[in-house]
Amino acid sequence: MSRLPPLLVFTLALLLAPVAWGQTPNPDLSRARESLEALRYSEATKALEAARARPGNDRETLLQILELQGVVAAMLNQSAKARTAFQTLAVLAPEHQLTGDYAPRVVTPFFEAKGWVADQNAELRFETAPAEKTGHNIESLAVQATSDVLKLGRSVRFHLHPEGNTWTEQESPLVGGQASVEVKGERIRWWAELLDEQQAVLAQVGSAEAPLTELSPRLEALARALTEPVNPEDSGSHSSLRTASYALLGAAVGTGAAGGYFGWRSRSARKELEDAPVNEQGVTVGITQREAVALDERARSSAKVANILFGVAGATAIVGGTLWVLGAPVTVSAAPTGVTVGGEFP
């Protein structure tokens, strides 16, 4: 089977590249592709330089520009420019593969750049740094760029969402490989982008779809408490809690019954007072005024006692139920939607 000429292979790769990469918001990159399709390499080189200089390229667009810069320079036998573009590409994305079947003059410097990054451990790493926290608040968030051997990073764009507020952006300079931003809150969702001097995105931690979450010391302690499983060896403790829960639940039932009795007394007195016969003038007859006052007082006092007893019964039932749960060999853990309880309830 015959092989296609290298120039034809290169042209086909350029034609298929926009389909593989998708559309780009950078018009200079689109212009560079059109020049490449027409094999106008000098024009393509200028268009790629303009695309690279355009502020605000996203990470995917930046990787496309660097790949094509390396490809065009290699096709023009500009080995130094090809090496620079491919090394930058490999530093940012060591796993990146060429989009197309290129000639050896392109593939060789590309894999040499990938090998250099692997040998020098030169991959750019962008990571979170410890947040500053005091009391119940988060005071600042921080990130760090490590192994930035090409000194590409210039600033960091933080995307912040304190609880109860909307998303905001704040840019901080990268100093000594680190950048931070002041915040205030107990729970903050956030993500960050590392930017170069043209505001192109080099790397990021978190994303708009999967932001990071930072908790205050108080909420961290609560989360740890929720995620620590109950020790199944503490059977004696479980048994004691269960015994106490049964006693409290029994007391709640008894107190509720007493409350029901006094509620019945109140209703009976009120009914007897309301059912007393009246004459044509609307005056109550059949019971004396003293008896009416006594019935009203009994209805009021019995109702008050019933309400108190019902309140005590409810509180006792809550405590008893809590002890019953704590006395079970279960585990309690935090989940994205709330709290989950697992184990066996006898």
Side-chain angles (χ1 to χ4, degrees), residues 162-196:
E163 194 166 20
N165 295 321
T166 57
W167 282 100
T168 60
E169 293 182 5
Q170 186 170 336
E171 190 169 327
S172 299
L174 192 68
V175 180
Q178 292 192 333
S180 62
V181 61
E182 293 184 358
V183 293
K184 184 71 68 174
E186 279 204 282
R187 181 177 182 271
I188 297 176
R189 297 164 63 205
W190 67 287
W191 58 288
E193 298 168 300
L194 178 63
L195 309 177
D196 68 2

PDB file of all heavy atoms in Angstrom, residues 162-196:
ATOM      1  N   PRO A 162     -18.946  33.211  48.207  1.00  0.00           N
ATOM      2  CA  PRO A 162     -19.268  33.048  49.639  1.00  0.00           C
ATOM      3  C   PRO A 162     -20.732  32.660  49.794  1.00  0.00           C
ATOM      4  O   PRO A 162     -21.587  33.076  48.994  1.00  0.00           O
ATOM      5  CB  PRO A 162     -18.997  34.445  50.224  1.00  0.00           C
ATOM      6  CG  PRO A 162     -18.112  35.111  49.231  1.00  0.00           C
ATOM      7  CD  PRO A 162     -18.516  34.568  47.891  1.00  0.00           C
ATOM      8  N   GLU A 163     -21.019  31.886  50.820  1.00  0.00           N
ATOM      9  CA  GLU A 163     -22.379  31.405  51.019  1.00  0.00           C
ATOM     10  C   GLU A 163     -23.343  32.573  51.158  1.00  0.00           C
ATOM     11  O   GLU A 163     -23.101  33.508  51.914  1.00  0.00           O
ATOM     12  CB  GLU A 163     -22.444  30.514  52.260  1.00  0.00           C
ATOM     13  CG  GLU A 163     -23.721  29.708  52.357  1.00  0.00           C
ATOM     14  CD  GLU A 163     -23.616  28.593  53.388  1.00  0.00           C
ATOM     15  OE1 GLU A 163     -22.741  28.682  54.259  1.00  0.00           O
ATOM     16  OE2 GLU A 163     -24.392  27.641  53.314  1.00  0.00           O
ATOM     17  N   GLY A 164     -24.414  32.530  50.398  1.00  0.00           N
ATOM     18  CA  GLY A 164     -25.406  33.591  50.450  1.00  0.00           C
ATOM     19  C   GLY A 164     -25.165  34.711  49.465  1.00  0.00           C
ATOM     20  O   GLY A 164     -25.987  35.621  49.349  1.00  0.00           O
ATOM     21  N   ASN A 165     -24.054  34.698  48.726  1.00  0.00           N
ATOM     22  CA  ASN A 165     -23.731  35.743  47.759  1.00  0.00           C
ATOM     23  C   ASN A 165     -23.669  35.167  46.346  1.00  0.00           C
ATOM     24  O   ASN A 165     -23.841  33.970  46.139  1.00  0.00           O
ATOM     25  CB  ASN A 165     -22.396  36.403  48.106  1.00  0.00           C
ATOM     26  CG  ASN A 165     -22.470  37.150  49.429  1.00  0.00           C
ATOM     27  OD1 ASN A 165     -23.469  37.786  49.722  1.00  0.00           O
ATOM     28  ND2 ASN A 165     -21.421  37.062  50.225  1.00  0.00           N
ATOM     29  N   THR A 166     -23.403  36.040  45.367  1.00  0.00           N
ATOM     30  CA  THR A 166     -23.262  35.609  43.984  1.00  0.00           C
ATOM     31  C   THR A 166     -21.787  35.422  43.648  1.00  0.00           C
ATOM     32  O   THR A 166     -20.900  35.811  44.410  1.00  0.00           O
ATOM     33  CB  THR A 166     -23.876  36.663  43.040  1.00  0.00           C
ATOM     34  OG1 THR A 166     -23.228  37.929  43.275  1.00  0.00           O
ATOM     35  CG2 THR A 166     -25.372  36.814  43.313  1.00  0.00           C
ATOM     36  N   TRP A 167     -21.516  34.817  42.484  1.00  0.00           N
ATOM     37  CA  TRP A 167     -20.138  34.623  42.040  1.00  0.00           C
ATOM     38  C   TRP A 167     -19.494  35.960  41.703  1.00  0.00           C
ATOM     39  O   TRP A 167     -20.107  36.820  41.060  1.00  0.00           O
ATOM     40  CB  TRP A 167     -20.097  33.723  40.806  1.00  0.00           C
ATOM     41  CG  TRP A 167     -20.258  32.270  41.110  1.00  0.00           C
ATOM     42  CD1 TRP A 167     -21.392  31.525  40.997  1.00  0.00           C
ATOM     43  CD2 TRP A 167     -19.240  31.376  41.580  1.00  0.00           C
ATOM     44  NE1 TRP A 167     -21.156  30.220  41.358  1.00  0.00           N
ATOM     45  CE2 TRP A 167     -19.842  30.095  41.728  1.00  0.00           C
ATOM     46  CE3 TRP A 167     -17.895  31.526  41.895  1.00  0.00           C
ATOM     47  CZ2 TRP A 167     -19.136  28.992  42.165  1.00  0.00           C
ATOM     48  CZ3 TRP A 167     -17.197  30.420  42.333  1.00  0.00           C
ATOM     49  CH2 TRP A 167     -17.804  29.172  42.469  1.00  0.00           C
ATOM     50  N   THR A 168     -18.249  36.143  42.138  1.00  0.00           N
ATOM     51  CA  THR A 168     -17.471  37.328  41.801  1.00  0.00           C
ATOM     52  C   THR A 168     -16.076  36.897  41.351  1.00  0.00           C
ATOM     53  O   THR A 168     -15.653  35.768  41.610  1.00  0.00           O
ATOM     54  CB  THR A 168     -17.343  38.284  43.001  1.00  0.00           C
ATOM     55  OG1 THR A 168     -16.690  37.596  44.091  1.00  0.00           O
ATOM     56  CG2 THR A 168     -18.705  38.767  43.464  1.00  0.00           C
ATOM     57  N   GLU A 169     -15.368  37.802  40.656  1.00  0.00           N
ATOM     58  CA  GLU A 169     -14.004  37.532  40.209  1.00  0.00           C
ATOM     59  C   GLU A 169     -13.055  38.547  40.837  1.00  0.00           C
ATOM     60  O   GLU A 169     -13.423  39.705  41.024  1.00  0.00           O
ATOM     61  CB  GLU A 169     -13.903  37.625  38.682  1.00  0.00           C
ATOM     62  CG  GLU A 169     -14.654  36.547  37.945  1.00  0.00           C
ATOM     63  CD  GLU A 169     -14.468  36.666  36.443  1.00  0.00           C
ATOM     64  OE1 GLU A 169     -13.671  37.545  36.016  1.00  0.00           O
ATOM     65  OE2 GLU A 169     -15.107  35.915  35.688  1.00  0.00           O
ATOM     66  N   GLN A 170     -11.851  38.081  41.162  1.00  0.00           N
ATOM     67  CA  GLN A 170     -10.819  38.969  41.694  1.00  0.00           C
ATOM     68  C   GLN A 170      -9.456  38.461  41.238  1.00  0.00           C
ATOM     69  O   GLN A 170      -9.146  37.280  41.387  1.00  0.00           O
ATOM     70  CB  GLN A 170     -10.885  39.032  43.230  1.00  0.00           C
ATOM     71  CG  GLN A 170      -9.934  40.043  43.829  1.00  0.00           C
ATOM     72  CD  GLN A 170     -10.194  40.258  45.311  1.00  0.00           C
ATOM     73  OE1 GLN A 170     -11.306  40.023  45.803  1.00  0.00           O
ATOM     74  NE2 GLN A 170      -9.188  40.699  46.030  1.00  0.00           N
ATOM     75  N   GLU A 171      -8.658  39.344  40.674  1.00  0.00           N
ATOM     76  CA  GLU A 171      -7.343  38.959  40.165  1.00  0.00           C
ATOM     77  C   GLU A 171      -6.250  39.419  41.125  1.00  0.00           C
ATOM     78  O   GLU A 171      -6.281  40.540  41.631  1.00  0.00           O
ATOM     79  CB  GLU A 171      -7.116  39.560  38.781  1.00  0.00           C
ATOM     80  CG  GLU A 171      -5.890  39.031  38.076  1.00  0.00           C
ATOM     81  CD  GLU A 171      -5.836  39.448  36.623  1.00  0.00           C
ATOM     82  OE1 GLU A 171      -6.910  39.579  36.002  1.00  0.00           O
ATOM     83  OE2 GLU A 171      -4.704  39.661  36.108  1.00  0.00           O
ATOM     84  N   SER A 172      -5.282  38.521  41.380  1.00  0.00           N
ATOM     85  CA  SER A 172      -4.168  38.822  42.279  1.00  0.00           C
ATOM     86  C   SER A 172      -2.858  38.489  41.579  1.00  0.00           C
ATOM     87  O   SER A 172      -2.770  37.510  40.836  1.00  0.00           O
ATOM     88  CB  SER A 172      -4.285  38.001  43.574  1.00  0.00           C
ATOM     89  OG  SER A 172      -5.474  38.313  44.264  1.00  0.00           O
ATOM     90  N   PRO A 173      -1.818  39.276  41.815  1.00  0.00           N
ATOM     91  CA  PRO A 173      -0.519  38.993  41.183  1.00  0.00           C
ATOM     92  C   PRO A 173       0.113  37.737  41.765  1.00  0.00           C
ATOM     93  O   PRO A 173      -0.105  37.392  42.931  1.00  0.00           O
ATOM     94  CB  PRO A 173       0.308  40.240  41.502  1.00  0.00           C
ATOM     95  CG  PRO A 173      -0.308  40.784  42.749  1.00  0.00           C
ATOM     96  CD  PRO A 173      -1.774  40.492  42.653  1.00  0.00           C
ATOM     97  N   LEU A 174       0.907  37.077  40.943  1.00  0.00           N
ATOM     98  CA  LEU A 174       1.649  35.897  41.383  1.00  0.00           C
ATOM     99  C   LEU A 174       3.018  36.381  41.867  1.00  0.00           C
ATOM    100  O   LEU A 174       3.820  36.891  41.083  1.00  0.00           O
ATOM    101  CB  LEU A 174       1.796  34.918  40.226  1.00  0.00           C
ATOM    102  CG  LEU A 174       2.286  33.507  40.577  1.00  0.00           C
ATOM    103  CD1 LEU A 174       1.234  32.760  41.374  1.00  0.00           C
ATOM    104  CD2 LEU A 174       2.622  32.739  39.300  1.00  0.00           C
ATOM    105  N   VAL A 175       3.267  36.241  43.150  1.00  0.00           N
ATOM    106  CA  VAL A 175       4.513  36.712  43.766  1.00  0.00           C
ATOM    107  C   VAL A 175       5.205  35.519  44.422  1.00  0.00           C
ATOM    108  O   VAL A 175       4.635  34.878  45.308  1.00  0.00           O
ATOM    109  CB  VAL A 175       4.242  37.813  44.810  1.00  0.00           C
ATOM    110  CG1 VAL A 175       5.554  38.279  45.441  1.00  0.00           C
ATOM    111  CG2 VAL A 175       3.498  38.985  44.180  1.00  0.00           C
ATOM    112  N   GLY A 176       6.436  35.240  43.965  1.00  0.00           N
ATOM    113  CA  GLY A 176       7.145  34.103  44.528  1.00  0.00           C
ATOM    114  C   GLY A 176       6.432  32.784  44.302  1.00  0.00           C
ATOM    115  O   GLY A 176       6.546  31.864  45.117  1.00  0.00           O
ATOM    116  N   GLY A 177       5.693  32.703  43.209  1.00  0.00           N
ATOM    117  CA  GLY A 177       4.969  31.473  42.901  1.00  0.00           C
ATOM    118  C   GLY A 177       3.662  31.315  43.643  1.00  0.00           C
ATOM    119  O   GLY A 177       3.009  30.274  43.522  1.00  0.00           O
ATOM    120  N   GLN A 178       3.226  32.339  44.405  1.00  0.00           N
ATOM    121  CA  GLN A 178       1.995  32.241  45.175  1.00  0.00           C
ATOM    122  C   GLN A 178       1.103  33.452  44.932  1.00  0.00           C
ATOM    123  O   GLN A 178       1.588  34.543  44.603  1.00  0.00           O
ATOM    124  CB  GLN A 178       2.283  32.104  46.667  1.00  0.00           C
ATOM    125  CG  GLN A 178       2.940  30.794  47.063  1.00  0.00           C
ATOM    126  CD  GLN A 178       2.932  30.588  48.561  1.00  0.00           C
ATOM    127  OE1 GLN A 178       2.912  31.549  49.332  1.00  0.00           O
ATOM    128  NE2 GLN A 178       2.962  29.338  48.983  1.00  0.00           N
ATOM    129  N   ALA A 179      -0.188  33.250  45.119  1.00  0.00           N
ATOM    130  CA  ALA A 179      -1.165  34.332  45.032  1.00  0.00           C
ATOM    131  C   ALA A 179      -2.268  34.040  46.034  1.00  0.00           C
ATOM    132  O   ALA A 179      -2.601  32.875  46.295  1.00  0.00           O
ATOM    133  CB  ALA A 179      -1.742  34.446  43.622  1.00  0.00           C
ATOM    134  N   SER A 180      -2.835  35.095  46.605  1.00  0.00           N
ATOM    135  CA  SER A 180      -3.901  34.921  47.596  1.00  0.00           C
ATOM    136  C   SER A 180      -4.945  36.013  47.420  1.00  0.00           C
ATOM    137  O   SER A 180      -4.712  37.022  46.751  1.00  0.00           O
ATOM    138  CB  SER A 180      -3.334  34.964  49.022  1.00  0.00           C
ATOM    139  OG  SER A 180      -2.750  36.227  49.289  1.00  0.00           O
ATOM    140  N   VAL A 181      -6.093  35.803  48.028  1.00  0.00           N
ATOM    141  CA  VAL A 181      -7.181  36.769  47.960  1.00  0.00           C
ATOM    142  C   VAL A 181      -7.892  36.775  49.311  1.00  0.00           C
ATOM    143  O   VAL A 181      -8.078  35.726  49.938  1.00  0.00           O
ATOM    144  CB  VAL A 181      -8.158  36.399  46.826  1.00  0.00           C
ATOM    145  CG1 VAL A 181      -8.789  35.022  47.059  1.00  0.00           C
ATOM    146  CG2 VAL A 181      -9.240  37.449  46.677  1.00  0.00           C
ATOM    147  N   GLU A 182      -8.250  37.959  49.785  1.00  0.00           N
ATOM    148  CA  GLU A 182      -8.959  38.079  51.058  1.00  0.00           C
ATOM    149  C   GLU A 182     -10.437  37.742  50.852  1.00  0.00           C
ATOM    150  O   GLU A 182     -11.053  38.159  49.873  1.00  0.00           O
ATOM    151  CB  GLU A 182      -8.818  39.492  51.612  1.00  0.00           C
ATOM    152  CG  GLU A 182      -7.406  39.852  52.039  1.00  0.00           C
ATOM    153  CD  GLU A 182      -7.326  41.219  52.681  1.00  0.00           C
ATOM    154  OE1 GLU A 182      -8.379  41.904  52.754  1.00  0.00           O
ATOM    155  OE2 GLU A 182      -6.220  41.620  53.103  1.00  0.00           O
ATOM    156  N   VAL A 183     -10.971  36.993  51.806  1.00  0.00           N
ATOM    157  CA  VAL A 183     -12.380  36.605  51.762  1.00  0.00           C
ATOM    158  C   VAL A 183     -12.945  36.709  53.174  1.00  0.00           C
ATOM    159  O   VAL A 183     -12.221  36.984  54.135  1.00  0.00           O
ATOM    160  CB  VAL A 183     -12.557  35.162  51.230  1.00  0.00           C
ATOM    161  CG1 VAL A 183     -12.148  35.073  49.773  1.00  0.00           C
ATOM    162  CG2 VAL A 183     -11.754  34.179  52.064  1.00  0.00           C
ATOM    163  N   LYS A 184     -14.227  36.471  53.308  1.00  0.00           N
ATOM    164  CA  LYS A 184     -14.860  36.460  54.622  1.00  0.00           C
ATOM    165  C   LYS A 184     -16.083  35.559  54.547  1.00  0.00           C
ATOM    166  O   LYS A 184     -16.968  35.748  53.722  1.00  0.00           O
ATOM    167  CB  LYS A 184     -15.280  37.868  55.023  1.00  0.00           C
ATOM    168  CG  LYS A 184     -15.870  37.962  56.428  1.00  0.00           C
ATOM    169  CD  LYS A 184     -14.807  37.756  57.514  1.00  0.00           C
ATOM    170  CE  LYS A 184     -13.821  38.894  57.554  1.00  0.00           C
ATOM    171  NZ  LYS A 184     -12.868  38.783  58.693  1.00  0.00           N
ATOM    172  N   GLY A 185     -16.119  34.551  55.419  1.00  0.00           N
ATOM    173  CA  GLY A 185     -17.269  33.663  55.452  1.00  0.00           C
ATOM    174  C   GLY A 185     -16.916  32.333  56.080  1.00  0.00           C
ATOM    175  O   GLY A 185     -15.746  32.020  56.307  1.00  0.00           O
ATOM    176  N   GLU A 186     -17.943  31.546  56.356  1.00  0.00           N
ATOM    177  CA  GLU A 186     -17.747  30.228  56.954  1.00  0.00           C
ATOM    178  C   GLU A 186     -17.676  29.126  55.896  1.00  0.00           C
ATOM    179  O   GLU A 186     -17.076  28.092  56.134  1.00  0.00           O
ATOM    180  CB  GLU A 186     -18.888  29.915  57.926  1.00  0.00           C
ATOM    181  CG  GLU A 186     -18.726  30.547  59.294  1.00  0.00           C
ATOM    182  CD  GLU A 186     -19.492  29.792  60.356  1.00  0.00           C
ATOM    183  OE1 GLU A 186     -20.719  29.957  60.436  1.00  0.00           O
ATOM    184  OE2 GLU A 186     -18.867  29.017  61.114  1.00  0.00           O
ATOM    185  N   ARG A 187     -18.281  29.360  54.745  1.00  0.00           N
ATOM    186  CA  ARG A 187     -18.271  28.349  53.677  1.00  0.00           C
ATOM    187  C   ARG A 187     -18.147  29.086  52.342  1.00  0.00           C
ATOM    188  O   ARG A 187     -19.009  29.902  52.003  1.00  0.00           O
ATOM    189  CB  ARG A 187     -19.552  27.510  53.705  1.00  0.00           C
ATOM    190  CG  ARG A 187     -19.611  26.421  52.641  1.00  0.00           C
ATOM    191  CD  ARG A 187     -20.895  25.606  52.809  1.00  0.00           C
ATOM    192  NE  ARG A 187     -20.990  24.523  51.858  1.00  0.00           N
ATOM    193  CZ  ARG A 187     -21.536  24.634  50.640  1.00  0.00           C
ATOM    194  NH1 ARG A 187     -22.047  25.794  50.255  1.00  0.00           N
ATOM    195  NH2 ARG A 187     -21.594  23.600  49.829  1.00  0.00           N
ATOM    196  N   ILE A 188     -17.076  28.805  51.613  1.00  0.00           N
ATOM    197  CA  ILE A 188     -16.823  29.513  50.361  1.00  0.00           C
ATOM    198  C   ILE A 188     -16.542  28.506  49.245  1.00  0.00           C
ATOM    199  O   ILE A 188     -15.668  27.656  49.385  1.00  0.00           O
ATOM    200  CB  ILE A 188     -15.637  30.483  50.500  1.00  0.00           C
ATOM    201  CG1 ILE A 188     -15.965  31.555  51.539  1.00  0.00           C
ATOM    202  CG2 ILE A 188     -15.303  31.129  49.158  1.00  0.00           C
ATOM    203  CD1 ILE A 188     -14.831  32.504  51.816  1.00  0.00           C
ATOM    204  N   ARG A 189     -17.295  28.606  48.178  1.00  0.00           N
ATOM    205  CA  ARG A 189     -17.017  27.821  46.975  1.00  0.00           C
ATOM    206  C   ARG A 189     -16.144  28.675  46.057  1.00  0.00           C
ATOM    207  O   ARG A 189     -16.379  29.880  45.920  1.00  0.00           O
ATOM    208  CB  ARG A 189     -18.325  27.437  46.288  1.00  0.00           C
ATOM    209  CG  ARG A 189     -19.226  26.544  47.136  1.00  0.00           C
ATOM    210  CD  ARG A 189     -20.632  26.512  46.608  1.00  0.00           C
ATOM    211  NE  ARG A 189     -20.689  25.931  45.268  1.00  0.00           N
ATOM    212  CZ  ARG A 189     -21.647  26.186  44.389  1.00  0.00           C
ATOM    213  NH1 ARG A 189     -22.608  27.048  44.671  1.00  0.00           N
ATOM    214  NH2 ARG A 189     -21.642  25.602  43.196  1.00  0.00           N
ATOM    215  N   TRP A 190     -15.163  28.043  45.402  1.00  0.00           N
ATOM    216  CA  TRP A 190     -14.249  28.855  44.600  1.00  0.00           C
ATOM    217  C   TRP A 190     -13.477  27.999  43.613  1.00  0.00           C
ATOM    218  O   TRP A 190     -13.435  26.777  43.737  1.00  0.00           O
ATOM    219  CB  TRP A 190     -13.276  29.613  45.505  1.00  0.00           C
ATOM    220  CG  TRP A 190     -12.295  28.730  46.241  1.00  0.00           C
ATOM    221  CD1 TRP A 190     -12.575  27.903  47.296  1.00  0.00           C
ATOM    222  CD2 TRP A 190     -10.902  28.562  45.964  1.00  0.00           C
ATOM    223  NE1 TRP A 190     -11.447  27.249  47.702  1.00  0.00           N
ATOM    224  CE2 TRP A 190     -10.402  27.637  46.915  1.00  0.00           C
ATOM    225  CE3 TRP A 190     -10.029  29.109  45.032  1.00  0.00           C
ATOM    226  CZ2 TRP A 190      -9.058  27.247  46.931  1.00  0.00           C
ATOM    227  CZ3 TRP A 190      -8.695  28.718  45.052  1.00  0.00           C
ATOM    228  CH2 TRP A 190      -8.230  27.799  46.004  1.00  0.00           C
ATOM    229  N   TRP A 191     -12.888  28.652  42.631  1.00  0.00           N
ATOM    230  CA  TRP A 191     -11.921  28.041  41.732  1.00  0.00           C
ATOM    231  C   TRP A 191     -11.022  29.150  41.203  1.00  0.00           C
ATOM    232  O   TRP A 191     -11.317  30.337  41.391  1.00  0.00           O
ATOM    233  CB  TRP A 191     -12.592  27.261  40.613  1.00  0.00           C
ATOM    234  CG  TRP A 191     -13.537  28.015  39.725  1.00  0.00           C
ATOM    235  CD1 TRP A 191     -14.782  28.473  40.030  1.00  0.00           C
ATOM    236  CD2 TRP A 191     -13.314  28.376  38.351  1.00  0.00           C
ATOM    237  NE1 TRP A 191     -15.355  29.092  38.958  1.00  0.00           N
ATOM    238  CE2 TRP A 191     -14.472  29.053  37.905  1.00  0.00           C
ATOM    239  CE3 TRP A 191     -12.278  28.175  37.459  1.00  0.00           C
ATOM    240  CZ2 TRP A 191     -14.622  29.540  36.610  1.00  0.00           C
ATOM    241  CZ3 TRP A 191     -12.409  28.658  36.157  1.00  0.00           C
ATOM    242  CH2 TRP A 191     -13.568  29.322  35.752  1.00  0.00           C
ATOM    243  N   ALA A 192      -9.895  28.771  40.611  1.00  0.00           N
ATOM    244  CA  ALA A 192      -8.910  29.782  40.225  1.00  0.00           C
ATOM    245  C   ALA A 192      -8.215  29.393  38.927  1.00  0.00           C
ATOM    246  O   ALA A 192      -8.058  28.208  38.613  1.00  0.00           O
ATOM    247  CB  ALA A 192      -7.879  29.972  41.334  1.00  0.00           C
ATOM    248  N   GLU A 193      -7.783  30.427  38.167  1.00  0.00           N
ATOM    249  CA  GLU A 193      -7.081  30.238  36.897  1.00  0.00           C
ATOM    250  C   GLU A 193      -5.728  30.944  36.960  1.00  0.00           C
ATOM    251  O   GLU A 193      -5.636  32.095  37.388  1.00  0.00           O
ATOM    252  CB  GLU A 193      -7.896  30.830  35.748  1.00  0.00           C
ATOM    253  CG  GLU A 193      -9.250  30.175  35.550  1.00  0.00           C
ATOM    254  CD  GLU A 193     -10.127  30.964  34.600  1.00  0.00           C
ATOM    255  OE1 GLU A 193     -10.409  32.145  34.902  1.00  0.00           O
ATOM    256  OE2 GLU A 193     -10.525  30.411  33.555  1.00  0.00           O
ATOM    257  N   LEU A 194      -4.694  30.247  36.524  1.00  0.00           N
ATOM    258  CA  LEU A 194      -3.361  30.832  36.410  1.00  0.00           C
ATOM    259  C   LEU A 194      -3.238  31.488  35.039  1.00  0.00           C
ATOM    260  O   LEU A 194      -3.472  30.839  34.011  1.00  0.00           O
ATOM    261  CB  LEU A 194      -2.299  29.751  36.587  1.00  0.00           C
ATOM    262  CG  LEU A 194      -0.842  30.195  36.455  1.00  0.00           C
ATOM    263  CD1 LEU A 194      -0.472  31.197  37.545  1.00  0.00           C
ATOM    264  CD2 LEU A 194       0.090  28.992  36.499  1.00  0.00           C
ATOM    265  N   LEU A 195      -2.847  32.767  35.003  1.00  0.00           N
ATOM    266  CA  LEU A 195      -2.805  33.543  33.771  1.00  0.00           C
ATOM    267  C   LEU A 195      -1.377  33.944  33.421  1.00  0.00           C
ATOM    268  O   LEU A 195      -0.545  34.150  34.310  1.00  0.00           O
ATOM    269  CB  LEU A 195      -3.661  34.807  33.912  1.00  0.00           C
ATOM    270  CG  LEU A 195      -5.100  34.622  34.416  1.00  0.00           C
ATOM    271  CD1 LEU A 195      -5.778  35.970  34.576  1.00  0.00           C
ATOM    272  CD2 LEU A 195      -5.893  33.715  33.480  1.00  0.00           C
ATOM    273  N   ASP A 196      -1.121  34.075  32.101  1.00  0.00           N
ATOM    274  CA  ASP A 196       0.185  34.579  31.671  1.00  0.00           C
ATOM    275  C   ASP A 196       0.072  36.077  31.414  1.00  0.00           C
ATOM    276  O   ASP A 196      -0.944  36.719  31.732  1.00  0.00           O
ATOM    277  CB  ASP A 196       0.699  33.812  30.458  1.00  0.00           C
ATOM    278  CG  ASP A 196      -0.126  34.075  29.195  1.00  0.00           C
ATOM    279  OD1 ASP A 196      -1.074  34.888  29.250  1.00  0.00           O
ATOM    280  OD2 ASP A 196       0.175  33.460  28.165  1.00  0.00           O
TER     281      ASP A 196
END
